């Protein structure tokens, strides 16, 4: 959409607060998020390929919360749009948003992976 505003890939303040809160557990948390989110994004792709929009919406919802918690604001926003489209049964918009989520996922991982030493 032309009216969508650009969002930071990662909100560094949120990520810093999380790092402070988790201390030594932060690196492990980020590594576990990356692994589970990759599986979740793959499951979303399979659900979409199988025309299971209910499952697409459920996976998008699950991932959106964790992405937001980590400060991956653009990914969380795109997952929210995907969830809305899937819940509305808008297959064309789901197709568009699945692609957008994949792109946002790649950008988020590129920023998060170095955080998990």
């Amino acid at each position: 959409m032309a009216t969508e505003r650009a969002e930071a890939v990662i909100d560094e303040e949120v990520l810093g607060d999380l790092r402070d809160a988790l201390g030594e557990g932060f690196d492990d948390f980020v590594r576990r998020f990356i692994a589970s989110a990759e599986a979740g994004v793959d499951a979303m792709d399979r659900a979409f390929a199988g025309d299971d929009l209910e499952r697409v919406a459920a996976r998008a919802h699950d991932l959106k919360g964790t992405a937001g918690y980590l400060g991956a604001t653009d990914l969380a926003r795109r997952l929210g749009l995907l969830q809305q489209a899937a819940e509305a049964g808008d297959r064309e918009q789901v197709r568009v948003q699945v692609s957008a989520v994949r792109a946002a996922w790649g950008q988020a991982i590129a920023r998060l992976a170095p955080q998990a030493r």
Side-chain angles (χ1 to χ4, degrees):
M1 283 182 201
T3 60
E4 288 182 14
R5 70 184 198 282
E7 299 233 6
V9 172
I10 300 293
D11 182 324
E12 295 295 336
E13 184 176 343
V14 171
L15 193 62
D17 289 347
L18 182 62
R19 181 182 291 110
D20 291 345
L22 294 178
E24 292 181 15
F26 175 79
D27 293 348
D28 185 53
F29 181 82
V30 172
R31 281 191 295 271
R32 283 186 290 124
F33 168 74
I34 290 170
S36 68
E38 181 66 35
V41 170
D42 288 345
M44 240 176 357
D45 286 342
R46 287 190 306 276
F48 178 61
D51 203 30
D52 187 349
L53 297 186
E54 186 175 321
R55 185 157 172 82
V56 170
R59 294 304 304 157
H61 174 79
D62 292 344
L63 292 171
K64 178 180 68 173
T66 308
Y69 187 67
L70 269 166
T73 54
D74 186 49
L75 177 59
R77 181 181 63 80
R78 291 184 180 282
L79 285 160
L81 294 171
L82 174 57
Q83 179 185 353
Q84 290 173 355
E87 288 172 346
D90 186 342
R91 285 170 176 71
E92 177 57 25
Q93 197 51 229
V94 168
R95 183 189 63 74
V96 168
Q97 293 304 325
V98 163
S99 178
V101 162
R102 264 286 170 203
W105 164 248
Q107 292 174 338
I109 290 311
R111 294 282 292 124
L112 286 171
Q115 303 289 329
R117 298 175 208 106

